[in-house]
């Protein structure tokens, strides 16, 4: 008779979980690299302005944008991110946020014109002072919980 060995169901389940977890991790790292390269190309278009590029991977954190920033690119992958936007020092502040499988809360200042586009949940404009600064907010989200709040400074 042939000796038939049965594989342990616990070992098989552990291998499946490790393979899925590793695949998820590598997918996020690859996506972070691709989005980082895309944002770097966009930053080159605005080489003479005050630019920032940030990527968060598997983190829970708060990100405070500097008031003198003109173009800000933020990537959030599988994390929880609170973004605090101050009243801009320049006439226009452009913020582009990309989030995949995460949570993003954006705190915007009161009394500033905000033009938000990109997200299925956040397409709107907020009227502020006519001669005040403008924040152009572009949000691209996939499987992300998004909220916007307005904070007094």
């Amino acid at each position: 008779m042939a000796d038939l060995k049965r594989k342990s169901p616990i070992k098989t389940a552990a291998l499946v979980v490790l393979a899925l977890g590793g695949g998820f991790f590598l997918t996020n790292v690859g996506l972070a690299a691709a989005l980082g390269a895309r944002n770097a190309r966009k930053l080159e278009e605005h080489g003479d302005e005050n630019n920032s590029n940030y990527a968060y991977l598997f983190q829970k954190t708060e990100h405070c944008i500097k008031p003198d920033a003109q173009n800000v690119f933020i990537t959030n992958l599988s994390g929880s991110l609170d973004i605090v936007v101050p009243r801009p020092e320049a006439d226009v502040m452009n913020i582009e946020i990309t989030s995949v499988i995460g949570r993003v809360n954006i705190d915007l200042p009161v009394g500033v014109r905000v033009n938000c586009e990109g997200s299925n949940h956040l397409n709107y404009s907020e009227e502020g002072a006519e001669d005040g600064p403008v924040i152009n907010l572009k949000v691209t989200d996939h499987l992300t919980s998004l909220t916007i709040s307005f904070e007094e400074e």
Side-chain angles (χ1 to χ4, degrees), residues 26 38-39 44 64 80 87 106 108 115 146 151:
L26 290 176
R38 179 199 69 178
N39 290 345
E44 288 176 2
C64 297
S80 178
R87 182 176 181 84
I106 306 164
L108 295 167
N115 299 315
L146 290 170
E151 301 287 329

Side-chain angles (χ1 to χ4, degrees), residues 119-141:
S119 171
N120 293 331
H121 311 289
L122 299 176
N123 285 330
Y124 76 94
S125 291
E126 174 75 22
E127 296 300 321
E130 194 168 309
D131 60 344
V134 176
I135 296 174
N136 294 314
L137 180 63
K138 182 177 181 186
V139 180
T140 305
D141 63 314

Side-chain angles (χ1 to χ4, degrees), residues 72-106:
V72 181
F73 298 92
I74 300 173
T75 302
N76 177 47
L77 302 173
S78 303
S80 178
L81 183 60
D82 291 313
I83 300 170
V84 178
V85 182
R87 182 176 181 84
E89 291 177 0
D91 293 336
V92 177
M93 178 185 283
N94 299 305
I95 304 170
E96 187 171 319
I97 301 168
T98 303
S99 181
V100 180
I101 308 176
R103 184 199 63 80
V104 175
N105 179 55
I106 306 164

